[in-house]
Structures are given as C-alpha cells and as structure tokens.
Amino acid sequence: MKELWGRKVLKKEIEHIEQAERQSQKLVTMQDVNEKTIQCLRCGQLHNKNTVQLANRHYFCPACIQLGRVDTSHEFYHLPEPNPVKRTVNFAWEGQLTEGQQAVSNDLLESVKKGESRMIWAVTGAGKTEMLFETIHYSLEHGFRVGIASPRVDVCLELFPRIQAVFPEEPTILLHGKMEEQYRYTKLVVCTTHQLLRFFQAFDVLIIDEVDAFPFVDNELLQYGVGQAIKQTSSLVYLTATPTKELTKKTAQNKLKTSILPARYHRRVLPVPKLKWCSKWHEKIKKGNSPRTLVTKIRTLVTKNDVLIFCPSISLMEKLKEAVEKHFPEVPLACVHSQDPERLEKVLKMRNKEYRILLTSTILERGVTFDGVSVIVLGANHDVFATSALVQIAGRVDRRKEFTAGEVWFLHDGCTKAMKEAIKQIKKMNTLGIERGLIDEM
C-alpha cells in the first residue's frame, strides 16, 4: 500500500480499495470545534454548522471541494511514512555554482541537516533551482522524502523536467489539478500547493517556491496544507524574490533563518525599470486605439529584442492586440492569459522566437524565462500591479548569460507607491550586490 504512505485521501481516490480497507488507518474528515462550529481536517477551515449541513444531516466542507467533497460520512485513509533508509542516488548535474549561490546552498544544506526551516531570498534569475540541487541530493541519499511545491502550475511544469534531468534515475512525480497520470509513491515530488492537502506527515524536506505568489500568499487553507504535509521533525524551505511582510518580520525577529542573494549568476546589475508617462492609456484602449507612447516604445525595443507587454486585464489586452497589429502588421504577435487553452503552446512559440511580441496578463510575471526580451508594463499604475508583481515582471529581463541590452518600462498616467517601491527594492538589491562583490558593473 505504498500509495497511502504519507497520504490522507478519500476512498474514491484509492486504486486498491480492498487492500486499503484491511491495512490502512482511518482518520476522521471533520471535527466539532463547539456546538456551532465544525473544522475540516483536510484544509483546516472552520464552518458554521448551519451553513454546511446536508439533507442527510452530515456536514461538508465547501472550501476544498475542488479536490473532491469531504463530509462527515467519509473517512480519510492513511499510512505513516516509513522510516528513512540511506541509499545511493545518481546526481547528474555538472554545473558550477557562483560564490554567492554556493554560500546559499551551504546554508540550506546545514539547515536540513539540523532539521530547521529557512527562507532563501534571491533576486529573480539568481538560479534558485540550482541552489537546491545539493540539498535535494543529500536528502534523497539519507532516505528523506522531498517535496517541491509552487502555487503556479506553470512553475511546476517548468521545474519538473529540470529536476528529472539532475536526478535521472530517481522516480519522480508531478502533481497538479489537470494531471492524467495515476498517483504513485515517490521519494521526490513536484506539485502545486493545492496538492499538499492530500499529504499528511509525509515530507522530511518541503520546499515552497514562489511563496509570495497567488494563490498561496495570505491563504490560510494552503498554509494549513503545508503544516499537515510535513513531518513533526522536518525542514520547511521558502523560496522567494519578493518576501511577504510576515516572512521579513519573522527574519527580523530571528524566528526564521534567511539567506539573501542580491545578484544574478552573470554578475550584472538587475535592470531598473524606467518610467514613461502614457496619457489616458485606459480610455484609448477601450476605444480600440493603441496609445502612441506604447507604439513608439515597441518600435524602439523590437529592433533589439522580443517584447513582452503586460496588461492589467484580459479584456483590455484583447482589444490592445488588435490595435497593435494595425501598427505592426509584419511582426508575429499573440496574446496569452490564464484561461487561454493554447497558453503553453504560445509560451513555447515565444521561446522559439516564433513570436516577436507577446501581450500577457500577470500569468507570466514569474516562473518563465525567455531569451532576449524587453518588457513593457502598460498601465503600471493599475491596482493589479502590486510591488511584488512589478519586481517579478522586471525580473523577466536579462536572465541569461548573454547580454542583450533588454529594458524594462513602466508606462503609466500616475505613479503609484507600488511602482516606487518596486524600483526602490531593485536598486537596493543592486547596491547590496555591489557591496558584497557579487556584481562587476555599476
């Protein structure tokens, strides 16, 4: 019954149910908090009994219903994770870490050896994934179970083949809501943070990538899932380029050990966004026009690089695409968003240089890398562009070793606090990188 090791799942999710009935532990799905309140033990959410009572007088949880309905007539099936057994694991990575990356890698390995948690605060494009490899290898060789989770499916899809390439003989599984593969037990798991709700005291080492990203950030349900998924003695690792106030507060109070890497491996400064006034951009797009400032900026940037244009809403983006096409009829372009069924294909085409211009929602603000791009944020003063989003968007530029003179432009008709904070944060990291001798240029 390996499929139940470290899992907490419903009967309908189990392939060999007769064997599970005989061998597994049964856990309650929901528990009374008091006369009026009941708690779901998959997602931790509290509910008023009057609002979640079914016709058969059982109670259900609406908060995590997308994973399959939990109610008090059900039980969870579970088997404890077996004790770690040391073994040999093939480690196929031949890359070389920079001085800054190696220092962070060493810190992380030391934390895992001590069974303590750590935040890695590294700028976008710093090579966070590569800094994990030594720790993952150590953990697997010591029989630990390792989970790597991200709030975004896109990030998981990009991360999975990279992990597989480094540990080519290690059974690894990728878990997300649209997966077609049947669940199987592996010591190395890559998954979305929602999938952690199906684990229980499973992981010795759990790495949460993009910890500040939607939908994980400030989400009590998903954070409860993390707490349930790790063993009582374990290492929880947070990866981020834009830490939340809660995590920075814990760092300041010495409640969370933190390693900071303020520079990319290629030792160049982070591109600092430039501001450009774009009068009444919203009204012009709604009328089916492309702002002149935008057209001029695209014309300049596309002579050197491909161009990513971030738009504040899907409806505006689709109107803008038609307007931009009129000005650049010979330039291959497309638009992409979270609901686009061709999203993955379009991203691949942009990587392969089949598109020169790609208009996008914030779905591409993180977790994707394109060679030779410049970035425009149209309407950077819109509410959807929080400080963390703007820092991540700026981080799409100049990620590769080869320098392509990529630029970042915030087009706006009113400078916001978020815009100023994003620029301030990027400049601060550049200053810190220079002070620590990790950057070769001013």
Side-chain angles (χ1 to χ4, degrees), residues 72 74 238 290 394 412:
T72 49
H74 296 143
Y238 301 104
S290 180
H412 67 99

Side-chain angles (χ1 to χ4, degrees), residues 152 310-312 336 360-366 384-385 389 393:
R152 306 281 282 265
F310 285 83
C311 303
V336 66
T360 177
S361 64
T362 53
I363 191 66
L364 296 186
E365 77 177 40
R366 61 179 78 218
V384 75
F385 295 120
I393 287 168

Side-chain angles (χ1 to χ4, degrees), residues 212-261:
D212 59 294
F214 177 85
F216 185 80
V217 64
D218 299 326
N219 188 316
E220 292 180 358
L221 180 149
L222 293 178
Q223 289 168 14
Y224 178 89
V226 169
Q228 291 283 290
I230 56 176
K231 292 183 179 179
Q232 291 181 335
T233 302
S234 57
S235 295
L236 185 56
V237 181
Y238 301 104
L239 302 183
T240 182
T242 47
T244 62
K245 289 181 179 179
E246 181 186 2
L247 289 174
T248 52
K249 184 178 179 181
K250 283 185 177 180
T251 299
Q253 295 173 339
N254 292 321
K255 294 180 179 178
L256 177 65
K257 292 187 180 295
T258 298
S259 299
I260 300 176
L261 182 55

